[in-house]
Amino acid sequence: MSLNSTYFSPTAKTTDTHCDKAQEPRMLHDSPQNKSECGAVRRVSREWWLHVGLLCIPLLAVYLHIPPPQLSPALNTWHSSGHFFTFRGNNVFYKESVGIVGSSDVLLLLHGFPTSSYDWYKIWDSLTQRFNRVIALDFLGFGFSDKPRPHRYSIFEQASVVEALVAHLGLSEQRINILSHDYGDTVALELLYRSDHNRSGHVTINSLCLSNGGIFPETHYPRFVQKVLKDSGFISPVLTRLINFQLFSRGIGDVFGPYTQPTEAEFWDMWTGVRINDGNLVMDSILQYINQRLKHRERWVGALTSTSTPLHMIYGPLDPINPHPEFIQLYRSVYIY
């Protein structure tokens, strides 16, 4: 007899009724017949859940092995126009354009979490009309760059990636202008620290423009999923496998303003960038940057307060992660114009 026919048979239904009457006098349940009936129902229930579990295993396996989306034409064009260089055995993607003639100004763009250099595509052409060379990279673990795992991702390593790129392009002696966002802000502050302390191999920074990044741990409020992923230990690798486009787009959409929401195509481009090379599986490791910001606050906020490098801030006050007016008030109090 099949499981379904046993579970829904009149006998099974009757015995289920007897076992559910837990609040009736004990004399109704103490007989050998009732004990036998209750045991049979429990066995049927266990068999039912076992069958459900066995059915879920292949479904979960299919879900976890869904291939990444295909590159959109726009994202494919971005990829095709870029290059790779090697950093400690890993391939790092970057894009470079030569802009106006007669200027020697170089602009380096540092993207945020969890996206990529493609963040800058809408303003790329405008920037090339102002600067002689415009450069953007995908940090290690992001976009088209390699995403090694297991790996200890850190802000210090990403700053070294930037220094290696600058050296690769022959710009070690060039003064560099930096425009950064979010995660890139903290990388920029580490670069600023190294520049101001004349560390070997440092990038010489001509100017720095930060934009909406959690540079102050005390005014930084990560999204729930970020807190869960960075602090859940052995559970985090499981959670990263369960993130899908719907969850991702909803979370990313929450940090955009009501008038700057990405289109459906742009959400898919961002998600595709994450899924390339199984990037969703390293998000928990990369998110340790939030803890690193707290641990190294004195170093990075100290660089902000002590530098003589021209510094600018672009701040959108509708940022739910670095909310107004807390963030901007603290920024104004630590940085003297």
Side-chain angles (χ1 to χ4, degrees):
M1 183 178 291
S2 69
L3 175 63
N4 286 338
S5 61
T6 302
Y7 186 75
F8 292 107
S9 67
T11 304
K13 185 175 181 180
T14 302
T15 55
D16 189 53
T17 304
H18 281 299
C19 291
D20 286 343
K21 295 181 179 179
Q23 304 303 319
E24 292 186 359
R26 289 177 56 86
M27 54 184 286
L28 294 179
H29 298 282
D30 289 342
S31 69
Q33 180 182 358
N34 283 338
K35 290 181 179 179
S36 175
E37 291 173 347
C38 289
V41 170
R42 293 190 185 98
R43 284 193 297 274
V44 169
S45 179
R46 283 195 296 268
E47 290 177 6
W48 187 85
W49 282 111
L50 177 61
H51 280 68
V52 170
L54 291 174
L55 286 172
C56 286
I57 290 174
L59 293 175
L60 183 60
V62 170
Y63 174 80
L64 295 179
H65 289 85
I66 295 176
Q70 295 293 314
L71 300 185
S72 69
L75 199 56
N76 187 59
T77 298
W78 187 266
H79 175 255
S80 299
S81 62
H83 310 276
F84 288 88
F85 80 102
T86 302
F87 175 82
R88 298 175 185 173
N90 293 298
N91 293 318
V92 175
F93 175 85
Y94 70 95
K95 179 178 169 65
E96 178 188 19
S97 290
V98 176
I100 62 170
V101 178
S103 170
S104 61
D105 288 344
V106 177
L107 177 64
L108 177 63
L109 305 170
L110 306 179
H111 67 81
F113 175 89
T115 47
S116 68
S117 58
Y118 189 65
D119 284 355
W120 308 105
Y121 84 97
K122 285 187 176 181
I123 61 173
W124 188 266
D125 290 341
S126 296
L127 293 173
T128 61
Q129 295 172 20
R130 166 62 180 83
F131 295 90
N132 176 252
R133 295 175 75 174
V134 180
I135 305 159
L137 79 159
D138 290 349
F139 289 122
L140 197 64
F142 295 78
F144 294 113
S145 292
D146 284 352
K147 299 167 180 176
R149 57 184 174 94
H151 186 80
R152 290 180 175 270
Y153 292 89
S154 74
I155 294 297
F156 298 102
E157 180 182 49
Q158 304 288 20
S160 296
V161 171
V162 175
E163 290 175 338
L165 173 60
V166 170
H168 172 76
L169 295 174
L171 297 171
S172 296
E173 304 302 318
Q174 178 80 37
R175 298 185 66 84
I176 307 292
N177 301 285
I178 296 178
L179 172 59
S180 62
H181 173 63
D182 184 49
Y183 182 89
D185 282 358
T186 306
V187 177
L189 290 179
E190 173 57 21
L191 292 169
L192 182 65
Y193 178 90
R194 296 182 187 186
S195 179
D196 287 350
H197 289 78
N198 203 29
R199 294 293 179 90
S200 177
H202 71 273
V203 174
T204 303
I205 301 177
N206 187 55
S207 68
L208 172 59
C209 182
L210 307 169
S211 63
N212 284 72
I215 56 179
F216 305 118
E218 56 268 48
T219 61
H220 183 244
Y221 300 91
R223 309 305 287 174
F224 174 74
V225 68
Q226 292 179 315
K227 292 187 285 187
V228 170
L229 287 176
K230 76 181 182 70
D231 293 329
S232 294
F234 68 93
I235 300 177
S236 295
V238 177
L239 298 177
T240 58
R241 292 177 180 273
L242 297 178
I243 296 175
N244 56 27
F245 172 73
Q246 285 71 29
L247 292 173
F248 173 83
S249 57
R250 186 182 306 165
I252 289 290
D254 287 344
V255 303
F256 280 82
Y259 308 111
T260 57
Q261 282 292 306
T263 64
E264 183 80 359
E266 288 170 337
F267 276 128
W268 273 108
D269 283 338
M270 287 186 275
W271 176 238
T272 301
V274 170
R275 285 297 317 279
I276 293 170
N277 297 330
D278 292 327
N280 54 307
L281 303 185
V282 302
M283 291 177 71
D284 56 323
S285 299
I286 293 175
L287 277 165
Q288 296 309 309
Y289 79 88
I290 296 175
N291 297 329
Q292 292 164 21
R293 279 174 171 170
L294 180 61
K295 181 178 180 180
H296 302 288
R297 182 193 186 281
E298 184 176 346
R299 179 186 180 98
W300 293 329
V301 175
L304 181 73
T305 60
S306 63
T307 190
S308 59
T309 299
L311 187 64
H312 310 275
M313 169 64 73
I314 298 173
Y315 177 68
L318 295 181
D319 185 352
I321 298 179
N322 307 285
H324 184 272
E326 295 174 62
F327 174 85
I328 202 65
Q329 287 176 347
L330 182 55
Y331 175 79
R332 287 171 174 164
S333 71
V334 301
Y335 181 70
I336 306 300
Y337 292 89

